[in-house]
Amino acid sequence: MTRPPLSLTALARAGFVRLSSVRAELDELAELSGLDPEVLLGALSAAADPDSALSSVLRLLRQAPDQARAALGTEDAARRLFRVVGASEGVAEFLLRHPCQLDALARPVLALPDAVELRDDLLDSVGATDGVAAEADEALWTALRIRYRRRLVQLASFDLEQADPVAGFDRVAVALSDLASAALEASLAVARRMTMGSGPGRFPEEQVRATPLAVIGMGKAGARELNYLSDVDVIFVTDGVESADLAPGRAVDIATRLAMLTMRGIHEPAIEPGLWEVDPNLRPEGKDGALVRTLDSHVAYYDRWAKGWEFQALLKARPLAGDHALGERYVAALAPKVWSSASRENFVEQVQRMRERVTDHIPDDEVHYQLKLGPGGLRDVEFTVQLLQLVHGQTDDEVRQRDTLSALAALAAQGYVGREEAATFSHDYRSLRLMEHRLQLRRLTRTHLMPRDEADVRILARATGLAPSADQLLTTWNEIKHRVRGLHERLFYRPLLSAVAAAPAEDARLAGGAGLTTEQAEARLAAIGFRDPRGALAHIAALTSGVSRRATIQRHLLPVMLQWFADGPDPDYGLLTFRRLSEELGSTHWYLRMLRDSTGAAQRLTRVLSGSRFAGELLGRIPESVAWLEADDELRPRTAAMLAEETAAILARHDSVDSAAAALRAIRRREILRLAVAGILGFVTIEELAHGLTVVTENTIAGVLQAIRTARGDEGDLEFAVIGMGRFGGRELGFGSDADVMYVFRPLAADQEAANRGALAIVSELNRLTEDNRLPLDLDIGLRPEGKNGPPVRSLESYRAYYRRWSLTWEAQALLRARGVAGSPQLLADFDELADEVRYPAEIGEQAVREVKRIKARVESERLPQGADPSRHLKLGRGSLSDVEWFVQLIQLEHAAAVPDLRTTSTLDALAAAAEHGFVLEEDAARLRDAWVFASRTRSAMTLWTNKTADVLPSDRVALDGVARLLEYPPGSASRLEEDYLAVTRRARQVFERSFYGVPQRPAPTG
């Protein structure tokens, strides 16, 4: 009975594209093979390219019907044949050239052959015994190539049968590498026979036999990671054999001849095409160097002339063929140089630049298609792993692995790479290598380019099993590239790498707890700058003891971090605080990983901890804030709008005024810490810092006040507002500054007394709820009318009456920096209007001006602490903050009524306006500004350094150096800071005395 023809749907479902001709070809195949078309269709559906598989097998049947029918004897055999020729046109061409090799697929390949089996088989193909071929015949190389490709066919069959080809990639790469080694061994055996005898290029048999030659595999060959069509990178090594039979230097001549013939046997064009390129250009001096050197010559070269990349190339060196004992001696001689190469100057940066040059030299039209060299390609993984190996392998022999995947696993096991990152890198690397394998297998040509034709991508998708369609394979590939590139950039450019590479070996032993006595360890710690080396050693032991992953990672981090701590002004405090933080956060999944992997977080942390007790104490209370160090955006001050939004959410979430206030105090601590860290690391200017501290303080007061008003429910009885004064009003707060304020209310009901009591209650609650033992916030009301003798809060009308009747000049002066910061918007506006009437008088008499100058003189003589050096007091000293502020404020009192630009609460803005309008010379204004900024920065730096508020420039050299470092001076700048401060304030004082007091300028000394 005649079978109905196979439907086009069935053919398309099987993967065919040439539907119009497939049915006829299938019928012919069925007729020639004797197999049922349905069986053939099922077998063909397993092929990556069923069209190509069908055409190739038909050609085989027409050309060699007996061998082809035997190869198609069963459904399983047919499936194997179709699968192999459907994935590889190159294999199909080989079988067409040598159909007798079809029996290689007669049985399933259940296990891959080992290196010994492959070596023996390929030596047998050239009739070699004792490493020398029986005959001197170039035809032996043809036999070698045929036997090689027969093994390759079997290997490809095994590879294509794997249920998970990604997971099976490693075994295939190892087998391909062992097959290449065997081919070199067999080719060398033929080369030895062809070198023996008389005539040009030949030498006596005993000399040839006595000449050792080791073929050293480099790159993927050395690491047993070869592709189907990789170049095989090699280095040829001989030994300086000298005997009665072999004159000095003769061994090199013979070995060179052997090397040239060995390469020729592998790749020179012949009846059977060459196998792959043997590339000896990684040898010393590259193409310009001798093809073969003695072992001693190699060692001498690497001792004197080798560049960093040459040691990286030696990372995977392994004997492939020839004299294995000599090969092992070569590897052993050079291994110490490989694993110490990372300590060379700028080694890490050179490797990084080399990777970038590789990318830069890719033709523009290939960048997107490069599986190997492009961004997110194989080289990103390999360079990353090799750099990590070379850096950490200096002291850790566990990571001294040849192949990429074993090295990556070791780096993860030793804690140098996160386990999740290593797993992702490994899987993506295997996937990229699988695509590369299948591309090279298809035509048995060397390529690393993703195909551009959709049909070729579809075939690759089927061959790899990574995706069901071309589009989905491209999507998968782009996802892999994105992940690989991201991990590469994060790991390859770690700042930690350069530091680890350059770290002295004794520092690694110091953190590793081995190799140094206690006395030696303490001496080392003292030498790099720790003042209490015994205490530091105890901290190191606590951080690194044990076998936990946390302790392992700390052992990697500490050699570098110890040096970074030592570079700071207080390494002992820095290490102590780091230990506390690590004990608090060490069990979290992100802390140590961040320090190890992020770009600069570890170094930033050491700068903060060794440079500021203020920040160190706050970090101890808010340890999770260490995460900010990983992202620059986290170190930018939060805007008023951002804080207001968070505050509104807190007030909506908390029913209790106490719990709401506690949450707001926590926000304040957090944001002041953020500003402290930003200031230490140089992310903000002094103006940005002052503004940020002011915003945080305003937000706290406004939020607590709102919580109080909501809880009391008295907003219908009175309006209430807080007025910022002094540096708070001028948005000029520093670390440790008080918040000078005044309180004002306005009754909305008839009962004035009740409103007054309500306002007093609000003030009391506001003081209670903003009080913070962890980070004090002092709401200072000393600038209110009548000072300490005046009531804590007044109504707006009371203020109005007081200022109209009793106001003194100093109170008008105090109002120059009055600014509403919280409370009723209308009341704030009305108070601002009242303040303008007082602080910007239409005219100010001579008596008032003299009064301002008299009070300033009294402040200098009476308020300066007893025994304080006037030249070193940052607030009240000569040329310091007080001088600049009083100078500016007098100009405002005299001229702001007529010059609106002077109506600002900011000292620096008012000074700039005064210069612009000619009330002070530009040069004098610059001197005053420099002094004010210098004193403000120094005052904040002193608080950061000591965690205490102080106003006198320290005399202690350690403290002065710590403050100097926070002001971005280099180490050992205590005297320089002192000299700079005294000079800048001296110049400002000269301006002040001349322009404020009218003291004539003293002539400069002469002679």
Side-chain angles (χ1 to χ4, degrees), residues 533-714:
R534 182 168 299 179
L537 199 58
H539 299 322
I540 294 168
L543 287 163
T544 60
S545 60
V547 295
S548 67
R549 187 169 180 81
R550 175 170 60 179
T552 299
I553 295 174
Q554 290 281 25
R555 284 194 288 272
H556 306 329
L557 289 170
L558 275 172
V560 173
M561 294 187 73
L562 286 172
Q563 187 59 61
W564 286 339
F565 280 126
D567 290 341
D570 193 349
D572 299 86
Y573 177 78
L575 181 57
L576 167 65
T577 313
F578 177 67
R579 175 185 172 181
R580 291 172 178 166
L581 275 174
S582 296
E583 288 171 349
E584 179 75 22
L585 294 172
S587 60
T588 62
H589 70 282
W590 58 268
Y591 170 65
L592 292 175
R593 183 179 67 185
M594 178 196 76
L595 296 182
R596 180 193 61 200
D597 295 347
S598 76
T599 53
Q603 189 167 18
R604 285 176 175 179
L605 181 60
T606 60
R607 282 183 61 189
V608 171
L609 296 183
S610 66
S612 172
R613 289 180 178 251
F614 180 90
E617 293 301 313
L618 272 179
L619 272 170
R621 295 190 178 107
I622 317 172
E624 64 277 6
S625 58
V626 172
W628 300 338
L629 298 171
E630 193 172 18
D632 291 359
D633 286 348
E634 292 292 340
L635 296 174
R636 305 293 182 195
R638 294 299 181 252
T639 64
M642 294 166 69
L643 292 177
E645 182 179 354
E646 186 176 7
T647 296
I650 286 173
L651 295 177
R653 190 166 62 245
H654 290 271
D655 295 331
S656 160
V657 66
D658 286 87
S659 63
L664 292 170
R665 292 194 299 271
I667 290 177
R668 173 176 171 267
R669 290 192 295 271
R670 183 196 72 200
E671 294 309 316
I672 287 181
L673 173 59
R674 192 191 309 275
L675 288 162
V677 173
I680 294 164
L681 297 177
F683 276 79
V684 290
T685 65
I686 187 63
E687 292 88 351
E688 291 170 330
L689 189 61
H691 183 78
L693 289 168
T694 302
V695 165
V696 172
T697 304
E698 287 177 8
N699 184 76
T700 304
I701 293 171
V704 172
L705 177 59
Q706 182 59 47
I708 293 168
R709 297 306 304 275
T710 301
R712 287 175 56 83
D714 61 3

Side-chain angles (χ1 to χ4, degrees), residues 859-894:
V859 167
E860 290 182 25
S861 62
E862 297 177 8
R863 291 188 56 193
L864 200 66
Q866 188 172 5
D869 183 347
S871 66
R872 304 179 75 88
H873 201 283
L874 301 164
K875 184 176 180 182
L876 302 175
R878 294 193 286 264
S880 67
L881 297 171
S882 176
D883 278 4
V884 179
E885 290 164 0
W886 281 70
F887 176 88
V888 169
Q889 289 160 17
L890 181 56
I891 292 174
Q892 287 179 291
L893 288 169
E894 291 180 304

Side-chain angles (χ1 to χ4, degrees), residues 124-146:
D124 176 71
S125 73
V126 297
T129 58
D130 298 328
V132 179
E135 302 175 13
D137 188 349
E138 293 194 25
L140 293 176
W141 280 329
T142 297
L144 163 61
R145 295 176 187 186
I146 292 171

Side-chain angles (χ1 to χ4, degrees), residues 153-167:
V153 169
Q154 294 173 326
L155 201 158
S157 175
F158 174 88
D159 186 9
L160 293 164
E161 292 283 344
Q162 296 302 299
D164 185 353
V166 173

